[in-house]
Amino acid sequence: MRHGKKFNHLGRKSAHRKAMLANMACSLIEHKRINTTLAKAKALKQFVEPLVTKSKEDTTHNRRIVFSKIRDKYSVTELFREVATKVGDRPGGYTRIIKLGNRLGDNADMAMIELVDYNETYNADKPAKKKSTRRSRSSKKAEAAVEAPKVAEAPAKKEESDSEKPETSQE
């Protein structure tokens, strides 16, 4: 039965799993990409993305929360100084998992997990994407829409007034 199995335990006890994920997170922050098994990559993604989100707001409280998880001050410093500035405008999805095939020996599914903004081969040809979601309507478009009908109405009134004048002059 599936009771109490919300996440992959990776065949380890709790302390062993936390230490392994902390070490893998340190390696990911330091090297920007690592190769591991697919199951560990998925577990690492769930572990490291909330930490990157915390790093976007540089406060002492957030640094202490992140330090309690990864337990390496050099990685915490690099995360808050370099990674946070690079992913500052990204609303989530800081990591990418690329499947690499099966490992020789035990036939395990292998994957590469990387920080998305540090891959120059994928990001080189893509132009900077405009922000697509808007929180409110733009005031410039609303003003332009209001002004446009006034301009269109003004010549129409002149035509009407010109067409009325000859009629009145003929009578």
Side-chain angles (χ1 to χ4, degrees):
M1 291 198 290
R2 199 195 146 269
H3 297 298
K5 293 184 178 178
K6 285 189 175 180
F7 58 94
N8 193 347
H9 293 204
L10 300 172
R12 289 161 175 82
K13 298 292 183 187
S14 176
H16 186 184
R17 186 175 53 248
K18 286 178 186 175
M20 183 193 67
L21 289 174
N23 288 331
M24 290 174 71
C26 291
S27 296
L28 179 65
I29 292 167
E30 182 182 352
H31 301 289
K32 315 303 184 222
R33 74 177 57 166
I34 58 173
N35 290 335
T36 182
T37 62
L38 183 61
K40 286 181 188 173
K42 288 179 179 177
L44 181 62
K45 184 173 189 168
Q46 291 177 347
F47 181 81
V48 85
E49 292 220 357
L51 300 179
V52 176
T53 302
K54 289 277 185 198
S55 73
K56 289 165 73 174
E57 184 181 353
D58 192 5
T59 62
T60 305
H61 183 65
N62 284 345
R63 281 182 180 261
R64 286 179 178 164
I65 289 173
V66 170
F67 184 76
S68 73
K69 298 284 185 182
I70 62 176
R71 299 179 210 131
D72 183 27
K73 64 180 180 182
Y74 300 110
S75 296
V76 172
T77 303
E78 186 166 347
L79 179 66
F80 277 81
R81 284 191 183 160
E82 295 176 17
V83 176
T85 56
K86 201 146 189 170
V87 301
D89 58 341
R90 185 175 289 276
Y94 311 111
T95 58
R96 175 186 298 131
I97 295 175
I98 300 172
K99 295 179 182 176
L100 297 177
N102 296 341
R103 181 168 55 195
L104 295 176
D106 63 352
N107 208 22
D109 287 336
M110 295 299 290
M112 178 178 68
I113 183 168
E114 65 181 2
L115 295 174
V116 171
D117 291 327
Y118 285 91
N119 190 340
E120 286 82 20
T121 57
Y122 277 8
N123 299 335
D125 55 342
K126 291 182 181 177
K129 203 173 187 180
K130 287 187 173 181
K131 190 176 180 181
S132 61
T133 57
R134 296 184 307 170
R135 300 286 186 247
S136 64
R137 292 184 179 198
S138 174
S139 61
K140 292 178 183 176
K141 285 186 177 181
E143 290 175 6
V146 171
E147 291 177 11
K150 289 181 181 177
V151 173
E153 290 177 13
K157 287 182 181 178
K158 287 181 182 177
E159 290 175 5
E160 289 176 5
S161 63
D162 291 341
S163 65
E164 289 176 7
K165 284 183 181 177
E167 290 176 10
T168 55
S169 64
Q170 289 176 354
E171 291 179 3

